[in-house]
């Protein structure tokens, strides 16, 4: 930024310098031309008066010369007094004035602007030459040096101003960078300082802090998930180990078939937890099969025909409600919702499929005691199980509803619990058209 500011200032100064030199040069050239013309006219009047000295005196940068009718030098400034005529130009008879630039005039050095005047005399016309030094492009060394020094100073000041401004503007960014380098997985509670000025840097700091808030929340969920998963995995392992150790201590007094069935139940629970954990890991990683059109009504009909349910299931299916998605995962979502509803229903479970404003809706409603509004977000947390759920199914993993929730999110929709007159009402809404999201978009 400092280099760019300095370069821009240098270009501007260069343009201004050229403009000033051009303007001053034109003014100086006009002034010298006027001086030459004035001096030549003065000589013409002196010739008419007959009092022209042989050696003339003139201003600096001017050379004067007077020629008689034979073009012999009769008067001149010292440098042209004994030399040839300065120029060969002679004004026309009809004009007393002529001018020309010569490089150089005869007997002199350098380019000069020569002005010639015809003076009428009885014995013949005389000629007066006035030559003025041609103004160089830099006008004068002092002016050019002054302009160059001013330009360099202006460029330096612009660079220093840009450096100071950028350094002041980036100071909060440097503080944000320093704070971010201190943040690790174990020390994630830091927040970057937010500048007082309401500018882009403040927005950056606020966005960074919001990202760190989400990171902390994700890390906390990960720690909680790891703790809960470890506990739930240890429970069936510990139970099976205790059964086997007790049986081995008294092998002759143990009912081995019964022990085998008990250990097998613990292994079944362990397998269910591991299966659900793997499914959640795949959902978090966004791994999908190819998306395909799925008719939700047909999916419900096929799933109900495939399995038997202990409670009466009543369907309200609208035809043609189709979404793009992963069929197997949508089946998994429906199965998890049905298992949960069947576990808590008294006698009946209602399943509805319909369209609402371009959104496909799948609703599962049971006639149980329902879920309190304060617990409606808790049930979607991994390994979270309400007291009523633990009482009705002690072997549940606490991952069925979180998996269903993640499947809905990965399809661009949502799974929520809404109010109902009785029981728990789970409602999934998926927009038409978009297929499963891939990559990180599929995770939570």
């Amino acid at each position: 930024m400092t280099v760019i500011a300095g370069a821009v200032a240098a270009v501007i100064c260069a343009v201004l310098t050229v403009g000033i030199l051009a303007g001053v040069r034109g003014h100086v050239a006009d002034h010298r031309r006027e001086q030459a013309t004035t001096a030549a006219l003065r000589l013409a009047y002196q010739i008419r008066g007959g009092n022209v000295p042989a050696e003339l005196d003139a201003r600096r940068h001017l050379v004067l010369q007077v020629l008689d009718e034979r073009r012999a030098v009769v008067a001149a400034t010292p440098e042209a007094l004994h030399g040839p005529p300065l120029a060969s130009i002679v004004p026309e008879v009809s004009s007393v004035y002529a001018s020309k630039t010569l490089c150089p005039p005869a007997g002199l050095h350098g380019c000069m602007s020569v002005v010639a005047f015809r003076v009428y005399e009885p014995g013949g016309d005389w000629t007066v030459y006035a030559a003025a030094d041609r103004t160089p492009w830099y006008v004068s060394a002092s002016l050019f040096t002054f302009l160059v020094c001013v330009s360099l100073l202006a460029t330096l000041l612009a660079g220093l101003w840009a450096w100071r401004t950028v350094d002041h503007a980036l100071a909060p960014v440097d503080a944000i960078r320093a704070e971010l380098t201190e943040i690790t997985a174990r020390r994630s509670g830091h927040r970057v300082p937010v500048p007082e000025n309401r500018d882009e840097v403040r927005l950056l700091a606020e966005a960074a802090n919001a990202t760190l808030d989400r990171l902390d929340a994700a890390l906390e969920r990960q720690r909680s998930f790891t703790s809960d998963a470890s506990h739930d995995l240890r429970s069936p392992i510990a139970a099976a180990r205790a059964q086997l150790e007790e049986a081995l201590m008294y092998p002759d007094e143990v009912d081995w078939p019964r022990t085998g069935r008990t250990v097998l139940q613990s292994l079944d629970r362990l397998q269910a937890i591991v299966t659900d954990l793997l499914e959640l890991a795949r959902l978090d990683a966004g791994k999908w099969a190819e998306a395909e059109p799925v008719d939700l009504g047909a999916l419900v009909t096929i799933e109900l025909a495939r399995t038997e349910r202990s409670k009466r299931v009543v369907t309200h299916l609208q035809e043609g409600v189709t979404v793009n998605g992963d069929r197997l995962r949508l089946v998994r979502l429906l199965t998890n919702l049905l298992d949960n509803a069947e576990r808590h229903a008294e006698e009946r479970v209602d399943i509805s499929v319909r369209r609402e404003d371009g959104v496909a809706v799948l609703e599962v409603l049971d006639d149980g005691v329902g879920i309190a509004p304060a617990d409606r977000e808790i049930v979607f947390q991994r390994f979270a199980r309400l007291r009523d759920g633990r009482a009705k199914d002690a072997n549940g993993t606490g991952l069925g509803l979180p998996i269903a929730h993640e499947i809905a999110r990965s399809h661009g929709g949502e799974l929520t619990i809404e109010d109902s007159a009785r029981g728990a009402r789970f409602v999934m809404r998926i927009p038409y058209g978009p297929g499963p999201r891939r990559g990180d978009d599929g995770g939570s």
Side-chain angles (χ1 to χ4, degrees):
M1 189 66 183
T2 303
V3 174
I4 293 175
V8 171
V11 171
I12 294 175
C13 289
V15 172
L16 291 177
T17 299
V18 171
I20 292 173
L21 288 176
V24 173
R25 182 176 182 274
H27 179 73
V28 171
D30 291 341
H31 179 66
R32 290 183 179 181
R33 192 177 299 110
E34 290 176 0
Q35 286 182 335
T37 302
T38 302
L41 288 173
R42 187 181 296 113
L43 275 177
Y45 282 115
Q46 290 177 350
I47 293 171
R48 297 297 297 272
N51 56 350
V52 179
E55 185 172 330
L56 302 176
D57 186 20
R59 292 176 179 270
R60 186 183 177 186
H61 306 301
L62 287 181
V63 177
L64 302 177
Q65 193 179 62
V66 179
L67 305 181
D68 61 11
E69 68 277 6
R70 297 186 302 273
R71 294 190 63 78
V73 178
V74 296
T77 51
E79 60 268 30
L81 182 60
H82 303 290
L86 295 180
S88 60
I89 57 173
V90 178
E92 298 290 338
V93 176
S94 59
S95 174
V96 297
Y97 170 83
S99 64
K100 187 175 182 180
T101 299
L102 299 178
C103 294
L108 300 178
H109 303 283
C111 294
M112 303 182 76
S113 297
V114 180
V115 177
F117 278 89
R118 179 188 292 271
V119 181
Y120 295 99
E121 287 293 315
D125 295 339
W126 288 25
T127 305
V128 177
Y129 289 121
D133 289 345
R134 190 174 183 183
T135 307
W137 65 268
Y138 54 87
V139 182
S140 68
S142 59
L143 176 63
F144 181 74
T145 302
F146 173 76
L147 290 177
V148 169
C149 291
V150 171
S151 299
L152 291 176
L153 179 61
T155 302
L156 178 62
L157 291 176
L160 291 176
W161 175 82
W163 178 81
R164 181 180 178 84
T165 302
V166 172
D167 185 67
H168 179 72
L170 294 182
V173 177
D174 188 62
I176 293 173
R177 179 198 59 77
E179 194 66 31
L180 288 175
T181 57
E182 297 294 327
I183 297 175
T184 62
R186 295 184 178 182
R187 300 179 58 198
S188 59
H190 292 261
R191 293 296 179 270
V192 300
V194 178
E196 296 181 359
N197 297 333
R198 294 191 172 275
D199 51 14
E200 290 78 5
V201 179
R202 181 186 179 93
L203 296 177
L204 172 64
E206 292 175 347
N209 283 336
T211 302
L212 291 174
D213 289 338
R214 292 192 295 271
L215 176 62
D216 276 350
L219 288 174
E220 184 60 32
R221 287 196 303 270
Q222 183 182 17
R223 295 188 188 102
S224 177
F225 173 74
T226 303
S227 176
D228 293 338
S230 300
H231 177 270
D232 279 60
L233 287 172
R234 282 197 303 266
S235 296
I237 294 175
R241 183 182 182 86
Q243 291 287 338
L244 290 176
E245 287 179 347
E246 182 181 359
L248 291 174
M249 290 176 62
Y250 308 101
D252 297 332
E253 300 177 8
V254 174
D255 185 351
W256 285 102
R258 180 181 176 183
T259 301
R261 288 192 295 271
T262 304
V263 173
L264 187 59
Q265 289 177 356
S266 298
L267 293 177
D268 288 341
R269 173 171 167 74
L270 183 61
Q271 183 180 10
I273 294 174
V274 172
T275 301
D276 287 345
L277 287 175
L278 290 175
E279 180 63 23
L280 282 173
R282 283 191 290 268
L283 287 170
D284 289 342
K287 295 180 179 179
W288 288 94
E290 290 296 327
E292 60 178 314
V294 179
D295 188 319
L296 293 182
L299 184 143
V300 171
T301 301
I302 294 172
E303 184 60 23
L304 291 178
R306 189 178 63 84
T307 59
E308 294 183 0
R309 296 289 172 178
S310 60
K311 306 295 173 59
R312 185 164 68 97
V313 179
V314 179
T315 59
H316 314 275
L317 307 179
Q318 184 177 353
E319 295 182 357
V321 182
T322 303
V323 298
N324 285 334
D326 188 327
R327 180 181 297 274
L328 294 179
R329 285 201 168 128
L330 290 174
V331 170
R332 178 66 181 273
L333 181 148
L334 174 63
T335 301
N336 289 0
L337 293 180
L338 281 176
D339 291 342
N340 180 77
E342 187 177 30
R343 189 160 49 245
H344 296 88
E346 295 291 339
E347 297 179 352
R348 169 173 168 171
V349 176
D350 288 82
I351 302 177
S352 302
V353 173
R354 62 183 182 275
R355 287 190 297 269
E356 286 184 359
D357 300 328
V359 176
V361 179
L362 172 64
E363 178 181 310
V364 178
L365 171 65
D366 63 66
D367 60 353
V369 296
I371 301 174
D375 297 331
R376 291 181 180 177
E377 292 297 327
I378 297 178
V379 298
F380 292 125
Q381 297 178 7
R382 300 176 183 187
F383 292 107
R385 303 188 66 198
L386 302 179
R387 181 179 301 177
D388 182 63
R390 291 183 182 275
K392 293 188 176 183
D393 185 9
N395 294 322
T397 64
L399 295 174
L401 292 179
I403 289 175
H405 186 261
E406 291 302 320
I407 292 174
R409 287 187 58 188
S410 64
H411 281 78
E414 59 178 356
L415 176 63
T416 58
I417 302 175
E418 299 184 2
D419 295 334
S420 61
R422 183 181 180 185
R425 180 183 173 211
F426 288 83
V427 181
M428 180 197 70
R429 289 181 170 86
I430 299 179
Y432 290 121
R437 295 178 295 170
R438 300 181 182 277
D440 295 336
D441 294 340
S444 58

